[in-house]
Amino acid sequence: MAVTKSGSRQRRRMVETDLGFTWGPWNSGLLAVGLLVLAAGYLALGRGSISLAPALLVLGYCVLIPASLLLRGRKSDSGE
């Protein structure tokens, strides 16, 4: 905090910057599906599946989880 000549403190105003990241229900649903696919993949891995388990794990880790983080919802206007 800066001190002025009169001795009173000025408060710095924190400015929130918009990084263009939006999180909506579509992202939450996609993340939930990704977590379910991962759980199914580990369950299949525990049962000894050598073809289904890797496919589910790759689908969850490489497709669904990143897609839930990267996809943006459509905005009708540029305001909040």
Side-chain angles (χ1 to χ4, degrees):
M1 287 191 225
V3 178
T4 60
K5 291 181 182 179
S6 64
S8 64
R9 294 182 180 182
Q10 293 178 348
R11 293 186 181 197
R12 292 186 183 186
R13 187 174 182 195
M14 299 298 291
V15 178
E16 184 178 327
T17 58
D18 183 18
L19 299 176
F21 183 76
T22 57
W23 189 267
W26 176 255
N27 300 92
S28 298
L30 202 54
L31 182 63
V33 169
L35 292 175
L36 288 174
V37 167
L38 288 178
Y42 280 114
L43 184 64
L45 187 64
R47 292 187 178 192
S49 171
I50 60 171
S51 58
L52 179 63
L56 289 175
L57 292 172
V58 167
L59 177 68
Y61 279 122
C62 296
V63 177
L64 295 174
I65 301 294
S68 72
L69 297 173
L70 294 175
L71 292 179
R72 293 190 215 172
R74 295 183 182 150
K75 291 183 180 179
S76 59
D77 59 341
S78 61
E80 290 185 352

